[in-house]
Amino acid sequence: MSKFKKKKSGELPPVSTAAMPDIVFMLLFFFMTVTTFKKDDYKVRQNLAFADQVQTLNKDDKVIYIYAGKPSQRYQDDFGTQAKIQLNDKFADVSEIKDYWFNEINNNPKLGQQYQNVAITALKVDGETNMGLISDIKQELREINALKINYTTKKGEFSKNYKK
């Protein structure tokens, strides 16, 4: 007779969960570092016009964005189909551009009073927006001496802008 008997219960040994918190925190850290957040929710259409002489802005440039165009489909019931101005995440009137521009200059850590003369105002305008609204926006920017204006476009032949 043997002193040692082998247990034959057939059970699997329990899974070790000692490394589980390390794995969870590693995945959490990974997703926190690689995730980018969308700055604005576009409430206006963004079918940008085409241009063949395009220049990209540097990441170091101090840019303030103004969106203009017809409200997107989900906002047309509330705001109609006329072209509107979007500042950050809300529709605005032309008269609100000055306050918005100064707030962006003063509240943005990348900007500040020292960058007021070099800040670029980028207009992201839908291709079907009437020039009257764009002229009003530019007039408001002239009054506050924000003369560096950039029109955001798609690269391509400008002849694609004309409807046949």
Side-chain angles (χ1 to χ4, degrees):
M1 240 195 204
S2 68
K3 279 186 163 181
F4 302 105
K5 291 185 182 178
K6 199 172 197 180
K7 293 183 183 178
K8 293 187 178 182
S9 64
E11 292 181 20
L12 292 173
V15 176
S16 173
T17 58
M20 187 74 69
D22 294 336
I23 294 170
V24 169
F25 283 117
M26 184 174 59
L27 287 172
L28 179 67
F29 183 73
F30 172 76
F31 286 115
M32 284 175 49
T33 56
V34 299
T35 302
T36 58
F37 294 99
K38 189 175 170 181
K39 185 177 179 188
D40 294 324
D41 180 28
Y42 298 130
K43 294 183 178 183
V44 294
R45 288 191 208 156
Q46 289 292 299
N47 296 330
L48 301 175
F50 289 96
D52 57 0
Q53 295 180 1
V54 178
Q55 219 178 4
T56 57
L57 294 174
N58 296 329
K59 289 191 180 231
D60 297 335
D61 290 336
K62 316 310 182 218
V63 182
I64 298 171
Y65 291 96
I66 296 177
Y67 307 98
K70 293 181 181 178
S72 59
Q73 193 67 35
R74 66 179 174 171
Y75 297 107
Q76 285 183 357
D77 292 338
D78 297 330
F79 298 102
T81 58
Q82 292 295 319
K84 303 274 185 206
I85 299 170
Q86 178 185 343
L87 305 174
N88 284 337
D89 281 338
K90 67 179 187 93
F91 288 114
D93 192 40
V94 177
S95 61
E96 298 176 49
I97 291 176
K98 292 177 190 175
D99 291 334
Y100 166 74
W101 197 86
F102 283 119
N103 284 338
E104 286 293 307
I105 287 287
N106 294 327
N107 296 333
N108 191 335
K110 263 176 73 173
L111 299 173
Q113 286 295 338
Q114 66 270 24
Y115 295 112
Q116 184 171 343
N117 294 330
V118 295
I120 299 171
T121 306
L123 298 179
K124 283 191 162 187
V125 181
D126 182 54
E128 296 180 11
T129 304
N130 57 2
M131 274 307 289
L133 181 63
I134 298 168
S135 298
D136 293 343
I137 293 170
K138 287 173 56 176
Q139 185 62 38
E140 288 292 313
L141 292 172
R142 271 190 215 114
E143 289 177 14
I144 58 173
N145 206 24
L147 303 177
K148 292 187 177 187
I149 298 176
N150 172 36
Y151 292 97
T152 305
T153 63
K154 291 188 270 186
K155 189 170 187 170
E157 286 295 320
F158 67 90
S159 59
K160 292 180 185 178
N161 296 326
Y162 302 111
K163 292 184 180 180
K164 295 177 183 179

